[in-house]
Amino acid sequence: MDRPFLNAYFDSLGAPSFEKGCNFAAAGSTVLPAAASSVSPFSFGIQVAQFDRFKQRTLELLTEGKKFKKYVPHSDFFSKGLYMFDIGQNDLAGAFYSQSEDQVLASSPTILSEFETGLKKLYDQGARKFWIHNTGPLGCLPQNIALFGKDPSKLDEFGCVSAHNRAAKLFNLQLHALCTKLQGGFGDANITYVDIFSIKSDLIANYSKYGFENSTAACCGYGGPPLNYDSRVGCGQTKILNGSSATAEECSDATEYVNWDGIHYTEAANMHVASQILTGKYSDPPFSDKMPFLLRLKF
């Protein structure tokens, strides 16, 4: 779309430009408040608080003269800007390590209540354009297949863990309902719900049709087929396993793989997902008849 990547909030030293916006996402973060054992301490509520601080500091700097204008957004960007969200997957995936499927399913309302609280705070701060991704098919990530899919009866026809995908589907159903509720409550806002689950599920089910060779194997991993994933050796790492050195190296051609490292998608897969999002067909409300530009896809 010929827009720059947004600089990260935590990359504020050295005067990066936040003129086009700011990225508050953090790897491993959850909607629910982080616990001592969490991968990331920067849960959604913290990210919203960071946004509040960012907005406050931006408005302060704008009053100090023109010298800061190239570093921070215009004051009206906070009401005109697009607020994008893709969070919740780590809440569900992490819960499966210590909870039964029924317990994970029962946690969705609590997660979404916390999400709603954050969205309302952003609305109160002037946010009006909300772009909300649902969560993908968790059960199709090599990390989850390796740990939770050892019993073949727990896998579906595409080799994905059924319980994880059921949890993702229920979460998404309730997230969609929340978006509809908020659209009614925020009369002057636009809330767009994006069905990432359907896009990624279609890619995994029909990977060869889209030019991929592997759907549920990691490009960068250790262990070889079928998953090329070993939780003990992360992508790029070398460990001693059973007295021998083991290195998780990248594959020769990442464009043949849907999955990069057992958890994340490859750039090629993300490009496919982005191109599908931008058709507008997977959004509610759909926007396929309102596309203001033709995409020049950089495949």
Side-chain angles (χ1 to χ4, degrees), residues 26-32 39-40 86-97 111 135 138 141 143 171 263-264:
S29 56
T30 53
V31 175
L32 294 177
V39 173
S40 165
D86 191 322
I87 193 165
Q89 177 166 308
N90 292 326
D91 292 86
L92 297 175
F96 271 102
Y97 284 85
I111 298 168
T135 204
L138 297 179
L141 300 177
Q143 181 188 56
F171 176 85
I263 306 167
H264 305 98

Side-chain angles (χ1 to χ4, degrees), residues 155-273:
L155 301 176
D156 66 13
E157 60 191 297
F158 304 111
C160 303
V161 185
S162 299
H164 282 64
N165 284 353
R166 282 192 294 267
K169 283 180 182 175
L170 179 67
F171 176 85
N172 290 339
L173 198 67
Q174 294 177 2
L175 175 61
H176 197 178
L178 173 61
C179 290
T180 304
K181 171 188 161 185
L182 291 176
Q183 184 62 76
F186 300 164
D188 57 343
N190 284 312
I191 297 175
T192 302
Y193 168 88
V194 188
D195 188 5
I196 300 295
F197 186 96
S198 290
I199 296 171
K200 288 184 173 177
S201 294
D202 172 59
L203 172 58
I204 287 159
N206 301 293
Y207 63 94
S208 57
K209 183 174 91 172
Y210 298 115
F212 293 89
E213 303 283 334
N214 297 278
S215 61
T216 55
C219 162
C220 185
Y222 175 78
L227 297 175
N228 194 37
Y229 179 81
D230 189 315
S231 61
R232 298 170 295 177
V233 194
C235 174
Q237 293 183 340
T238 298
K239 297 278 181 72
I240 302 297
L241 297 184
N242 304 322
S244 301
S245 177
T247 302
E249 298 178 321
E250 68 174 287
C251 58
S252 58
D253 186 357
T255 65
E256 295 181 350
Y257 286 73
V258 169
N259 197 279
W260 166 242
D261 60 355
I263 306 167
H264 305 98
Y265 285 62
T266 59
E267 286 290 279
N270 280 328
M271 178 68 88
H272 170 81
V273 171

Side-chain angles (χ1 to χ4, degrees), residues 264-287:
H264 305 98
Y265 285 62
T266 59
E267 286 290 279
N270 280 328
M271 178 68 88
H272 170 81
V273 171
S275 70
Q276 294 300 301
I277 291 169
L278 292 168
T279 64
K281 295 185 296 188
Y282 292 92
S283 295
D284 181 24
F287 59 87

